[in-house]
Amino acid sequence: MKAARVHERGKIVIEEVPVPEVGEKEVLIAVHRVGICGTDVGVVGGHVSATYPVTLGHEYSGVVAKLGSPRLTPHLKEGDPVVSSGGWGCGECELCRQGMDLYCTNRRSLGRNVDGCMAEYIKVDYRSVSKLPPAISLDEAQNIVNIGCSVRAVRKLDLAKIKTAAVIGPGNAGLMILQLLKMGGVERVVMAGTRDFRLEMARRFGADEVVNIRREDPVKRIRGWFPHGVDAVCESSGTTGGLQSAFDVVRSNGSVVVFSIITEKMQEFDPSFLYLKEPIIYGSKGAAGAFPEAIRLLEEKKLQILPMITHRFPLAETAKAFQVFADKVADALRIVIDVRP
Ligand SMILES: [Zn+2]
Ligand SMILES: [Zn+2]
């Protein structure tokens, strides 16, 4: 089968590899749609930890090709449309046994330390697989990991008490968080970002105000609208600048959810606001526990997913797809690789 793999930093190759053999606790999935995520770009670039050589990708949809043990997966059969989480714990360590497998230090992460989904087939742990209801298309389902991550992030907040919010970073996940905040009844949501076309999309998805931080100081602008700051800020830009803005625009005793992996170091950090403002700061990692709700949201057509897909490429053009993702000038948002037509 064909797979998009990385052997050395900065280089994606399409190569012929054997179809994975499934063990008893594994499921083989024929991959249909894959979305490119910033984490995949980090794997190629070397700033997200990964074990080379590795097949890229962790956000996808497909159909069951083979069950390692039908006895373990009575709810699945060959041909079922499915998605899986982006990884799973070892199942044996203390954290895994306590149900905290997302913190497992021996975690298997697709496209990082086990082969991912930018290939014709992928094998995954049977516990990571979720069956899709018929109402959900494979085009929509490719984004399930991000929807789950966004659901988990927004769950940190007590939405009944939040009237105003800011989202920093109108990427795929930021736009999902925006939709979830509006759906949860937040009256005014501001989106801050660097690209006008993404900010326009944020408007279409319900943002009450948008600010382009290339042209305006987001802190001044948001403070202009909300002199005491906003009740909650979700940082999804993955930058230290975004994080600093989040600390600067959250109101006293408000909440900040740090949703993204920020790989750069903070040059300056003034911690006095922790005392002065008493903010509540949450981290949110992955989609643990949020898949059922993510599937329900898709099934009930509550989220706008398809308008986010701006580009599509065949598997053979994966390297080109990554170039478009990295090109900050291209109006790219969700780039999908069509592994099968
Ligand atoms: Zn991802
Ligand atoms: Zn473990």
Side-chain angles (χ1 to χ4, degrees):
M1 68 169 188
K2 295 245 180 311
R5 289 169 63 78
V6 182
H7 288 260
E8 56 179 301
R9 197 172 141 182
K11 201 169 166 211
I12 300 168
V13 288
I14 305 295
E15 55 186 13
E16 195 66 38
V17 293
V19 174
E21 299 264 351
V22 285
E24 198 196 355
K25 293 184 175 172
E26 292 170 333
V27 175
L28 186 72
I29 296 170
V31 180
H32 281 245
R33 303 280 174 268
V34 182
I36 300 180
C37 158
T39 304
D40 304 319
V41 177
V43 168
V44 179
H47 48 276
V48 168
S49 67
T51 316
Y52 299 159
V54 71
T55 299
L56 287 163
H58 59 282
E59 301 182 5
Y60 71 103
S61 57
V63 302
V64 174
K66 193 176 177 188
L67 298 168
S69 169
R71 185 180 53 81
L72 291 174
T73 46
H75 59 297
L76 294 175
K77 61 180 188 313
E78 281 176 26
D80 278 347
V82 288
V83 286
S84 84
S85 58
W88 51 89
C90 71
E92 285 153 23
C93 72
E94 197 181 334
L95 288 165
C96 282
R97 285 202 309 266
Q98 290 169 353
M100 295 192 285
D101 72 292
L102 78 163
Y103 309 124
C104 172
T105 50
N106 198 14
R107 194 172 160 81
R108 275 68 155 171
S109 297
L110 295 180
R112 292 177 60 183
N113 58 12
V114 292
D115 283 336
C117 56
M118 292 184 189
E120 288 174 73
Y121 293 92
I122 181 173
K123 73 169 176 181
V124 295
D125 186 283
Y126 77 100
R127 297 166 302 172
S128 71
V129 180
S130 300
K131 186 174 164 175
L132 292 168
I136 302 176
S137 70
L138 293 171
D139 268 351
E140 293 167 301
Q142 50 79 23
N143 221 329
I144 198 84
V145 168
N146 275 299
I147 300 168
C149 291
S150 304
V151 165
R152 184 176 160 85
V154 171
R155 268 185 192 163
K156 308 272 178 192
L157 301 168
D158 182 357
L159 288 187
K161 291 186 183 152
I162 290 169
K163 291 193 164 52
T164 60
V167 181
I168 300 172
N172 182 52
L175 288 166
M176 217 86 79
I177 289 173
L178 160 69
Q179 295 184 60
L180 293 170
L181 291 173
K182 290 305 290 184
M183 202 185 298
V186 180
E187 287 168 19
R188 284 177 78 194
V189 182
V190 182
M191 176 65 85
T194 57
R195 293 187 242 182
D196 284 330
F197 101 98
R198 289 187 173 194
L199 293 169
E200 279 157 28
M201 201 173 288
R203 281 242 189 246
R204 278 167 59 199
F205 292 174
D208 299 281
E209 311 286 354
V210 300
V211 49
N212 187 319
I213 65 172
R214 286 207 200 285
R215 290 197 294 269
E216 285 182 278
D217 176 349
V219 177
K220 255 193 206 154
R221 195 81 170 109
I222 294 171
R223 285 277 179 181
W225 289 313
F226 310 98
H228 299 290
V230 289
D231 298 335
V233 188
C234 295
E235 159 28 54
S236 65
S237 73
T239 65
T240 52
L243 185 63
Q244 186 61 58
S245 298
F247 294 154
D248 290 341
V249 301
V250 71
R251 71 158 166 77
S252 294
N253 208 218
S255 302
V256 174
V257 182
V258 181
F259 172 83
S260 51
I261 304 183
I262 301 174
T263 53
E264 53 188 27
K265 300 280 177 280
M266 227 156 179
Q267 296 301 327
E268 277 177 33
F269 181 70
D270 176 1
S272 61
F273 78 101
L274 293 168
Y275 178 89
L276 296 169
K277 279 169 75 165
E278 291 194 321
I280 304 152
I281 301 171
Y282 300 95
S284 188
K285 180 192 180 198
F291 259 52
E293 188 174 343
I295 289 174
R296 184 183 60 79
L297 287 166
L298 279 186
E299 191 177 16
E300 294 175 1
K301 306 294 171 198
K302 291 274 173 64
L303 294 170
Q304 302 203 57
I305 302 297
L306 300 181
M308 287 197 228
I309 302 175
T310 55
H311 295 73
R312 311 186 78 113
F313 291 91
L315 182 62
E317 290 179 24
T318 299
K320 191 172 162 197
F322 272 68
Q323 273 169 17
V324 173
F325 189 100
D327 181 355
K328 301 273 184 219
V329 184
D331 282 351
L333 182 53
R334 185 65 167 174
I335 300 178
V336 169
I337 294 172
D338 292 312
V339 177
R340 284 180 170 73

